[in-house]
């Protein structure tokens, strides 16, 4: 490593931090005030980053929105709205996963995506990006749920039940946009967890040895 | 009836027709080009009604959007996207109802409502109107499904299954906004119909005599 590179590293970190702060602020603004009200000025005021710096990172609204999509995907495991497949002790696995997925789709992540989704309708290129993002994210959530529930998706009904978990969560997410629908959502999560108990699960013994350590625990 | 009233009637009909044409065009525009692109100019071009006449009927965008909500509710039984509880001969009742509900939430009615729903986020008054409309419409769809399936909603699981049908449909409706998701939706409808078969149904014999004529037919 040269001296120049050495000296540049902290500056790159700061630049990365600023970028993430802009994206996080934009995401929150989209979820809370909607597409039209999410302007550079609003993001500047809310984030404390200057309009000039925002425009340096994201020259256009399109670039900013592409950045938000990428940021959502990257932060899906680390954000407060990640779907955690490690079930806390004493908590029912099905209750926990149903609640996590339904909660995820009522988060600012989903609400921001929905704002983009409806705004993109007249814009084929942005629409295409959003669909790719949506498919990639849905696939990641699906895989997470399958792993957490040790689901045997070679069984068609089991596959459909997990797919339905995602579509149902999306529907409940829409219901939460204009009001706090969490009370109803919590009771739906309990109900849906009890429906999910009828899926077919993989026999843990049948898993390859190398996967054993990270495999979901058998249900109690 | 006076002569004046007699003479006015056809004019009132024409005025009503113009109003409905404006509202239908606005609904389609919202669903297809989105909230921002749905301007008086676009509605005028698409409907063939002059901008002046549109402004006469609906002086503001708010008035126009309130009109669309009312129009959606009123036309829910007569439009091409109505949920018909009369099951055609030879068609499975559960397949038919699941398909009708899922299809309804992928219609321009739902897509227009979703455009309003996401645009209303910064507007408490409009947001309030939309929630009232959403609740009223969901209640009407719920009642229609209950009647069509002869469902015993005093059974909690049965109530939840029908409620879930609506939330699931809403989620599938979102998935259809940016692309034609009908193929996947059709297979989900088949799957969901088979899940709905496990609901508890009312014994037709137990229905009060006065309701017998309009009561759903017992399942074959």
């Amino acid at each position: 490593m040269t001296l120049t590179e050495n000296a540049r590293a902290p500056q790159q970190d700061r630049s990365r931090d600023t970028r993430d702060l802009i994206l996080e602020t934009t995401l929150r603004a989209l979820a809370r005030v909607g597409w039209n009200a999410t302007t550079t000025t609003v993001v500047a005021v809310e984030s404390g980053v200057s309009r000039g710096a925002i425009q340096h990172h994201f020259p256009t609204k399109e670039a900013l929105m592409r950045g938000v999509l990428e940021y959502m995907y990257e932060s899906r495991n680390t954000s407060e709205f990640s779907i955690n497949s490690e079930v806390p002790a004493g908590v029912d696995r099905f209750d926990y996963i149903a609640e996590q997925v339904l909660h995820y789709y009522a988060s600012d992540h989903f609400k921001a995506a929905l704002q983009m989704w409806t705004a993109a309708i007249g814009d084929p290129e942005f629409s295409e990006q959003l669909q790719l993002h949506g498919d990639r994210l849905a696939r990641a959530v699906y895989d997470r749920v399958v792993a957490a529930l040790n689901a045997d998706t070679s069984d068609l009904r089991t596959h459909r039940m997990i797919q339905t978990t995602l579509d149902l969560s999306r529907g409940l997410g829409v219901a939460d946009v204009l009001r706090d629908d969490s009370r109803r959502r919590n009771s739906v999560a309990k109900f849906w967890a009890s429906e999910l108990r009828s899926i077919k699960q993989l026999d843990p013994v049948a898993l390859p040895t190398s996967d054993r350590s990270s495999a979901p625990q058998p249900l109690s």
Side-chain angles (χ1 to χ4, degrees), chain A:
Chain A
M1 185 182 274
T2 68
L3 264 178
T4 321
E5 278 169 336
N6 221 347
R8 197 183 279 157
Q11 197 186 323
Q12 283 179 336
D13 282 353
R14 275 202 304 279
S15 177
R16 182 86 213 170
D17 287 350
T18 303
R19 201 175 178 276
D20 283 359
L21 177 61
I22 296 166
L23 293 172
E24 182 70 28
T25 307
T26 307
L27 191 159
R28 302 284 175 190
L30 280 169
R32 290 170 193 183
V33 297
W35 175 268
N36 283 340
T38 302
T39 59
T40 310
T41 307
V42 163
V43 175
V45 168
E46 294 291 320
S47 65
V49 177
S50 74
R51 294 188 55 183
I54 294 171
Q55 272 152 6
H56 168 73
H57 283 278
F58 305 102
T60 63
K61 189 161 182 173
E62 288 66 38
L64 179 58
M65 294 302 158
R66 269 204 307 279
V68 171
L69 285 181
E70 213 38 60
Y71 176 77
M72 273 184 198
Y73 187 76
E74 284 165 12
S75 64
R76 75 192 185 284
N77 294 328
T78 51
S79 79
E80 65 193 283
F81 296 113
S82 65
I83 297 170
N84 195 339
S85 47
E86 279 170 41
V87 182
V91 175
D92 177 271
R93 179 174 296 266
F94 287 97
D95 281 345
Y96 185 74
I97 295 301
E99 199 182 276
Q100 290 256 319
V101 177
L102 267 57
H103 184 63
Y104 180 76
Y105 281 92
S107 71
D108 281 354
H109 277 215
F110 175 77
K111 286 170 189 168
L114 188 65
Q115 287 290 332
M116 296 194 228
W117 199 259
T118 47
I121 199 163
D123 182 337
E125 199 191 326
F126 187 37
S127 165
E128 178 78 19
Q129 284 167 11
L130 276 165
Q131 289 175 56
L132 288 173
H133 167 77
D135 290 345
R136 194 168 58 146
L137 197 68
R139 183 79 215 171
V141 174
Y142 177 94
D143 288 346
R144 185 64 66 95
V145 174
V146 168
L149 298 182
N150 200 21
D152 180 358
T153 53
S154 71
D155 175 62
L156 185 59
R157 181 173 175 273
T158 297
H159 161 66
R160 289 281 183 217
M161 286 294 283
I162 293 173
Q163 194 185 37
T164 297
T165 307
L166 271 66
D167 283 313
L168 170 62
S169 302
R170 224 178 262 125
L172 285 162
V174 172
D176 200 72
V177 166
L178 296 182
R179 66 176 150 208
D180 178 1
D181 197 37
S182 56
R183 213 175 132 179
R184 188 174 80 90
R185 191 167 60 248
N186 287 339
S187 54
V188 174
K190 280 271 174 201
F191 160 71
W192 192 247
S194 72
E195 295 299 311
L196 279 175
R197 280 191 191 94
S198 63
I199 64 167
K200 201 172 161 195
Q201 292 181 288
L202 289 170
D203 180 0
V205 184
L207 289 173
T209 320
S210 61
D211 287 353
R212 288 297 289 276
S213 59
S214 63
Q217 298 304 303
L219 302 180
S220 56

